Amino acid sequence: MAVTTQDQQHGLTAHSHGGGQEKGHRRVASRADHFTSFDVNAFEVPGGREEIWRFTPMKRLANLHNGAAATASVTVEVMAADGVRVETVARGDERLGVAGTPGDRIAAQAWTSFTEATVVTLPKDTKVEPTTVTVTGAGEGQVAYGHLQIRAEQFAEAVVVLDHRGSGVYADNVEFVVGDGAHLTVVAVQDWADDAVHVSSHHARLGRDATFKHTVITLGGDLVRLTPVVTYTGRGGDAELLGLYFADAGQHLEHRTFVDHAVSNCRSNVVYKGALQGEDAHTVWIGDVLIRAAAEGTETFELNRNLVLTDGARADSVPNLEIETGEIEGAGHASATGRFDDEQLFYLQARGIPEEQARRLVVRGFFHEILLKIAVPEVRERLEAAIEAELEAVGA
Amino acid sequence: MATLEIKDLHVSVTTDEASKEILKGVDLTIKAGETHAIMGPNGSGKSTLSYAVAGHPKYTVTSGSVLLDGEDVLEMSVDERARAGLFLAMQYPVEVPGVSMTNFLRTAATAVRGEAPNLRHWVKEVKGAMADLDIDPTFGERSVNEGFSGGEKKRHEILQLGLLKPKIAILDETDSGLDVDALRVVSAGVNKFKESGEAGVMLITHYTRILKYIQPDFVHVFANGRIVESGGRELADQLEEHGYVKYTGNQEAAKVG
Ligand SMILES: Nc1ncnc2c1ncn2[C@@H]1O[C@H](COP(=O)(O)OP(=O)(O)OP(=O)(O)O)[C@@H](O)[C@H]1O
Ligand SMILES: [Mg+2]
């Protein structure tokens, strides 16, 4: 049976794991030593065996990792709410790059290769209506690089939807600069066409008492690899990273979250849920959390659950929690990958509900807690419909 | 008038490639208006009988037949059986995370009745049925059976019984895990369901105490995968006094009630 899980459900505390790494994980180095650089040439061309690449099918990356040149650009359209500023800026804009540094060769390649960036600024002390940034791929066979920065100024309160659709190969960096006391909610939807390859690094830098809710929904694309990284610059930062993915036959959907707790009294909560169906559907979730020595009073939890609907699908799930201080509020992680629960199906059917409908109820129920938290009703409805559409194929 | 006919039913369960016969020729006919109590020691196959009739995929019928009003139940899928009028209140109801009780009940009622119930009537009907069973209205928003206590799960099984109004109801140890008050409430729910006289009930139990609330017309002793003795109410009293030792030869299993 092609189901793997490297870690069954268990919580842990600072006392049992203080200062150490988790046993049983194939970690070669601490996340603290993870290499980052804006210079693409500072990274070797990965071969695929490296820890951060070992799950990714390198052949399907269209050479993004090996210097692929841009052949076109994506189309970026911003439906900005009143008061929101939208700018297209050149490479040299000094605001760019402040939220984080590329952590792998493709992110560095994207940084080196983009020609113009979109900067969306959410005004301070103001609550604004949702803003939507739609990124449409450059077309089948085309390669494009991009850069986007979302700035939530001090005490801004806003929702931003990033909507990715269309065809082609695309690598980008997305920055979230969340000012002191700001509340930024982001929903990033990857609803690509079947041929698309998307490798994306999200860098969030949270100010003091900032709240950042980041929801990733990945449904379409041949290969999607998303790396959300969160750092804190002041106390009281609160990050919630939610993810929902649904992989069909042949799709590779990879999510690698990293929360870097280097400041005291911050919180993070990571919940990713995925469903898989069909031959060679493959999902990967890597959840790194690092609580550095200075990050006293940290509270963190991360969870990944996968629901394998058919044979031939494979879910990899690796939580990594490193704790360098004993003075934390709480830390835990859980990961589980399971088959579709036949008992649930039986129970619903025994109440007269036809099998197909029962399956949908169970899967919808599985994703319920994530969908429930999507603040924009239109987006939630669209995603519910997209999930229904995915489910039409179940058991077919 | 509904009739469930179980004839010479043999059922095996498959585990790790090996197959084990559990039911070894069960004969039982339940007619509308009748209540049949099935009593037997642990592991004798009572739940297996109820699951096999409901169509649980783990249990394989190797021979025999099950007919509902002459229709071959064994040819039907699980949901078809339910829509045909069979209902199983489970010994261990299943939790379905993320699916609200309200949504579940309405989906089930729509499936069984063949059309979506009128919303206003439905809300009233559910509210009334929940009140009858002392179920707090807040349960409607909770996920199906998730985090419910044993007794709460059983009440919700009977709630579904009342709303889905099957022709034949199989109640698998609905009484176990209930305190005295809950037992009374749940029994009242079952009796209300029986009132119409149009439904048959198979009441599986370990203990005679529920039979003080729900009057059985027949009592069957179940041992080692078959019915070994049948009688009236008085048989339950004998079991109360002497236990199953006569049927199993096993001192351990002698204690009932
Ligand atoms: N899914 C299964 N896998 C393996 N063995 C099973 C399974 N279901 C039932 N059995 C076995 O079949 C026998 C009958 O079980 P069953 O649950 O039908 O008994 P029961 O009469 O309902 O017992 P109880 O009074 O404890 O509920 C037992 O030996 C049990 O271990
Ligand atoms: Mg039983």
Side-chain angles (χ1 to χ4, degrees):
Chain A
M1 199 173 66
V3 179
T4 65
T5 174
Q6 267 137 336
D7 203 324
Q8 283 305 324
Q9 211 177 332
H10 62 282
L12 49 79
T13 64
H15 294 288
S16 57
H17 287 261
Q21 290 176 20
E22 274 254 55
K23 271 186 280 183
H25 290 158
R26 269 184 45 168
R27 289 191 53 103
V28 281
S30 164
R31 181 72 211 208
D33 304 326
H34 187 93
F35 181 74
T36 62
S37 172
F38 286 102
D39 178 9
V40 63
N41 295 316
F43 294 88
E44 291 205 26
V45 173
R49 299 238 173 127
E50 299 77 3
E51 181 59 30
I52 64 166
W53 292 108
R54 68 187 176 101
F55 292 106
T56 311
M58 307 303 283
K59 285 203 179 79
R60 285 156 63 186
L61 282 172
N63 279 320
L64 285 172
H65 63 298
N66 191 16
T71 61
S73 318
V74 295
T75 308
V76 180
E77 289 161 296
V78 185
M79 295 252 296
D82 278 350
V84 174
R85 291 196 300 281
V86 182
E87 299 160 77
T88 303
V89 303
R91 292 191 54 80
D93 192 294
E94 63 186 15
R95 290 169 298 179
L96 301 182
V98 299
T101 308
D104 63 54
R105 194 169 201 276
I106 295 179
Q109 182 75 60
W111 172 263
T112 308
S113 306
F114 77 89
T115 51
E116 55 184 32
T118 305
V119 177
V120 176
T121 305
L122 308 155
K124 67 173 182 183
D125 300 325
T126 311
K127 182 174 178 175
V128 293
E129 292 294 305
T131 288
T132 302
V133 181
T134 304
V135 176
T136 307
E140 201 160 347
Q142 305 289 349
V143 177
Y145 294 99
H147 196 96
L148 172 66
Q149 186 179 70
I150 311 290
R151 307 174 68 81
E153 294 181 341
Q154 196 172 3
F155 293 112
E157 214 175 309
V159 176
V160 175
V161 179
L162 303 184
D163 196 349
H164 297 95
R165 37 178 83 197
S167 287
V169 176
Y170 185 49
D172 67 338
N173 288 282
V174 180
E175 297 182 71
F176 303 102
V177 184
V178 191
D180 291 351
H183 285 248
L184 177 61
T185 298
V186 172
V187 183
V189 182
Q190 285 62 241
D191 199 5
W192 296 104
D194 290 346
D195 67 287
V197 174
H198 186 203
V199 179
S200 186
S201 289
H202 287 197
H203 313 268
R205 195 191 68 177
L206 274 61
R208 189 182 170 116
D209 297 323
T211 301
F212 179 57
K213 289 191 197 308
H214 181 262
T215 303
V216 164
I217 313 277
T218 304
L219 302 172
D222 175 62
L223 186 160
V224 176
R225 179 178 148 125
L226 211 88
T227 307
V229 176
V230 173
T231 53
Y232 302 84
T233 59
R235 295 166 164 236
D238 188 350
E240 183 171 60
L241 305 185
L242 305 176
L244 183 166
Y245 45 89
F246 201 130
D248 289 320
Q251 277 189 302
H252 177 92
L253 306 181
E254 180 165 348
H255 297 89
R256 315 176 67 92
T257 56
F258 173 41
V259 183
D260 188 350
H261 281 280
V263 175
S264 63
N265 299 99
C266 291
R267 281 183 303 277
S268 61
N269 183 36
V270 181
V271 180
Y272 270 64
K273 287 190 160 191
L276 301 85
Q277 64 182 356
E279 203 55 39
D280 295 325
H282 187 195
T283 66
V284 178
W285 175 81
I286 312 292
D288 287 347
V289 174
L290 171 62
I291 304 176
R292 297 183 194 256
E296 294 182 355
T298 293
E299 206 181 319
T300 177
F301 187 75
E302 57 172 349
L303 168 86
N304 176 232
R305 291 242 183 290
N306 294 294
L307 189 56
V308 180
L309 299 174
T310 66
D311 285 332
R314 174 191 165 101
D316 287 293
S317 178
V318 187
N320 295 311
L321 177 55
E322 280 182 77
I323 305 173
E324 295 176 350
T325 172
E327 302 297 315
I328 59 169
E329 272 297 302
H333 66 182
S335 156
T337 294
R339 306 282 305 184
F340 196 87
D341 189 339
D342 290 332
E343 295 300 325
Q344 292 180 2
L345 206 57
F346 172 73
Y347 187 74
L348 297 174
Q349 282 188 265
R351 298 302 179 249
I353 301 170
E355 180 176 350
E356 281 307 293
Q357 201 182 354
R359 277 181 185 277
R360 282 181 215 173
L361 271 178
V362 171
V363 177
R364 220 189 285 145
F366 175 73
F367 285 137
H368 180 74
E369 65 170 311
I370 307 269
L371 288 172
L372 195 69
K373 289 184 177 169
I374 294 178
V376 191
E378 305 88 77
V379 175
R380 188 173 54 230
E381 280 158 26
R382 174 178 144 210
L383 295 172
E384 277 166 356
I387 290 165
E388 292 298 297
E390 299 273 355
L391 283 167
E392 302 273 316
V394 176
Chain B
M1 280 293 173
T3 307
L4 180 73
E5 287 172 275
I6 301 170
K7 285 189 202 145
D8 193 29
L9 191 68
H10 290 252
V11 171
S12 296
V13 57
T14 311
T15 46
D16 303 333
E17 311 305 310
S19 182
K20 182 179 158 203
E21 179 163 79
I22 307 214
L23 298 189
K24 299 166 182 166
V26 177
D27 288 290
L28 179 64
T29 298
I30 299 177
K31 295 202 176 90
E34 296 175 352
T35 297
H36 294 248
I38 309 260
M39 305 188 66
N42 286 129
S44 56
K46 305 181 299 294
S47 292
T48 301
L49 174 62
S50 58
Y51 277 130
V53 173
H56 194 292
K58 264 195 201 140
Y59 302 89
T60 311
V61 174
T62 51
S63 67
S65 65
V66 179
L67 303 177
L68 178 63
D69 296 337
E71 299 276 335
D72 186 354
V73 168
L74 300 178
E75 282 296 306
M76 302 179 196
S77 66
V78 176
D79 47 297
E80 282 168 349
R81 295 179 197 203
R83 293 198 297 275
L86 285 175
F87 180 89
L88 167 60
M90 288 179 213
Q91 185 172 3
Y92 304 107
V94 180
E95 303 190 355
V96 191
V99 178
S100 75
M101 208 66 213
T102 304
N103 182 13
F104 164 64
L105 291 175
R106 190 167 163 80
T107 307
T110 303
V112 166
R113 296 178 188 182
E115 59 176 356
N118 170 291
L119 191 58
R120 199 146 9 105
H121 293 169
W122 172 249
V123 169
K124 234 175 112 185
E125 189 182 348
V126 173
K127 226 173 127 184
M130 285 174 87
D132 286 348
L133 288 160
D134 275 351
I135 295 172
D136 192 281
T138 55
F139 275 92
E141 293 314 308
R142 289 178 59 178
S143 292
V144 174
N145 292 320
E146 196 180 37
F148 291 17
S149 72
E152 286 163 354
K153 285 181 181 165
K154 298 302 176 73
R155 282 174 205 237
H156 279 86
E157 293 294 282
I158 300 309
L159 174 69
Q160 294 163 46
L161 172 75
L163 293 170
L164 300 181
K165 300 187 178 58
K167 294 177 182 166
I168 301 288
I170 303 173
L171 311 180
D172 189 2
E173 297 205 23
T174 297
D175 54 330
S176 61
L178 297 182
D179 59 26
V180 176
D181 288 337
L183 183 65
R184 195 165 35 222
V185 166
V186 161
S187 301
V190 175
N191 286 328
K192 186 168 179 215
F193 163 72
K194 285 172 55 178
E195 250 168 30
S196 69
E198 285 166 16
V201 174
M202 186 199 295
L203 183 73
I204 296 173
T205 183
H206 246 4
Y207 309 106
T208 52
R209 66 170 188 160
I210 194 172
L211 304 180
K212 294 189 178 78
Y213 298 93
I214 302 172
Q215 290 299 328
D217 304 296
F218 304 92
V219 174
H220 308 278
V221 181
F222 206 87
N224 194 23
R226 58 163 71 91
I227 290 172
V228 291
E229 189 166 350
S230 298
R233 160 87 241 197
E234 72 291 342
L235 185 52
D237 298 330
Q238 283 172 36
L239 289 171
E240 173 91 57
E241 216 168 301
H242 306 293
Y244 298 115
V245 64
K246 176 173 148 197
Y247 308 102
T248 60
N250 179 351
Q251 290 296 339
E252 287 269 78
K255 213 176 144 358
V256 250

